[in-house]
Amino acid sequence: MSTRTSPGTARTTLVFALITAAALGLTACSGGEPSTAPAGASGARGALPAEDVVAAAKKNEAAAKLLPADVRQRGSLALASSVGTPPSSAYLPDGKTVVGVDADFSAAVARALGLELKREVVGFEAILPALGSGKYDVGTGNFGVTEERRKAIDFVTYINDGQGFAARSDSTLKAVTDLTQLCGLKVAVNAGTTFERTLEENKDRCAQAGKPAYEVNVYSEPGAIWMSLQQGRSDVVMNTINGVRYAVTQQKNVKFLNEYRRLDVGFAFKKGTPLAPAFQAAVNGLKADGTYDRILKKWGVTASGIETSRISPPEIPAPQK
């Protein structure tokens, strides 16, 4: 699960991200859904919160002791991070500073472990394979924990997000509780995500119900799904719950439909990583010292809080309808 950048050049990604951010600002309006924008985003819609809620995080000596000796010796972590849409991740107007839920949790865990964070922006599709090759220590991209991914990747959970739907305000859809409600419609998703997988795996439901199949419109660029919705090329968007809730506060004529299913989200690692226990202890330490809740509040995602961090938990079952 996740919106993300395409595997194209960094320049193309950056330009598109800035265009998307500008489009959201131009289409901002009042009214519509109750605002779920980040608490720190005061002023005009489209502004991203700037409060530093990570600086107060202290080193967690107990968690740091769990680090492998070679990592402690070099004192740094190589992070592969995709940049999609807020509140998970986004660029500030300078076009180079990465912010969001993922960025704050990554920085907070690094501080807790006493490590320098070396972030590299990487296309979403490239991150998991790169972890397997050992190029990076850890990856972030709002990666949902699924059984398929657990075969090759270890996770340390830090939030609970999932799959949600949005449509234009004139849509007759109210809530998508059964995928057959999408039959005959065009659904926009980002490539390589749990959204695409869910829709493709369940396409036969429409035929079984005697209805025309839904069409899955797949886009690589993070903001393209919203453009397709606004321009009428898609009828519905399926994306992260937090991403959809944020987007409808920033755009005209778009409504949040519902949460379809929840998924745990975690830091991603190469299978068998020795880093997982240290990261788990660091996340739980952030919960204990209040940093965890401050990050959630900053980005308006308190409903995504988890009770405790876990290492590669089972996938949360999908709805059976």
Side-chain angles (χ1 to χ4, degrees), residues 144-196:
V145 180
T146 68
E147 294 306 311
E148 181 180 2
R149 286 174 175 167
R150 289 204 312 154
K151 294 175 183 177
I153 296 294
D154 282 341
F155 293 94
V156 173
T157 61
Y158 57 96
I159 61 168
N160 176 273
D161 196 348
Q163 302 175 339
F165 290 99
R168 290 185 300 278
S169 299
D170 59 1
S171 172
T172 58
L173 283 174
K174 296 186 182 301
V176 180
T177 57
D178 189 319
L179 294 180
T180 58
Q181 292 171 256
L182 301 175
C183 296
L185 301 179
K186 297 177 180 179
V187 188
V189 298
N190 285 114
T193 59
T194 61
F195 320 115
E196 181 184 12

Side-chain angles (χ1 to χ4, degrees), residues 85-118:
T85 54
S88 176
S89 58
Y91 285 109
L92 288 181
D94 65 9
K96 60 183 180 181
T97 304
V98 179
V99 298
V101 173
D102 289 348
D104 277 350
F105 273 116
S106 300
V109 167
R111 288 181 67 89
L113 295 176
L115 298 174
E116 177 188 359
L117 191 65
K118 296 183 177 180

Side-chain angles (χ1 to χ4, degrees), residues 240-287:
T240 65
I241 294 168
N242 292 335
V244 170
R245 285 192 179 279
Y246 183 90
V248 300
T249 70
Q250 306 299 309
Q251 302 185 58
K252 287 182 178 180
N253 305 320
V254 177
K255 64 181 180 180
F256 177 76
L257 295 179
N258 63 293
E259 297 182 7
Y260 179 67
R261 67 175 296 198
R262 283 275 174 175
L263 283 172
D264 290 315
V265 172
F267 293 103
F269 304 87
K270 179 180 180 179
K271 192 71 176 177
T273 178
L275 290 169
F279 266 70
Q280 180 188 34
V283 173
N284 287 329
L286 295 173
K287 286 185 63 67

Side-chain angles (χ1 to χ4, degrees), residues 193-269:
T193 59
T194 61
F195 320 115
E196 181 184 12
R197 189 194 71 177
T198 295
L199 293 174
E200 292 294 349
E201 288 180 349
N202 291 279
K203 263 190 170 180
D204 61 339
R205 291 192 187 186
C206 292
Q208 293 172 2
K211 299 180 179 181
Y214 51 71
E215 179 181 314
V216 184
N217 292 340
V218 182
Y219 298 92
S220 292
E221 297 291 357
I225 55 174
W226 299 106
M227 291 184 182
S228 74
L229 184 68
Q230 291 281 12
Q231 295 171 357
R233 291 180 284 112
S234 298
D235 303 298
V236 184
V237 160
M238 187 178 188
N239 203 260
T240 65
I241 294 168
N242 292 335
V244 170
R245 285 192 179 279
Y246 183 90
V248 300
T249 70
Q250 306 299 309
Q251 302 185 58
K252 287 182 178 180
N253 305 320
V254 177
K255 64 181 180 180
F256 177 76
L257 295 179
N258 63 293
E259 297 182 7
Y260 179 67
R261 67 175 296 198
R262 283 275 174 175
L263 283 172
D264 290 315
V265 172
F267 293 103
F269 304 87

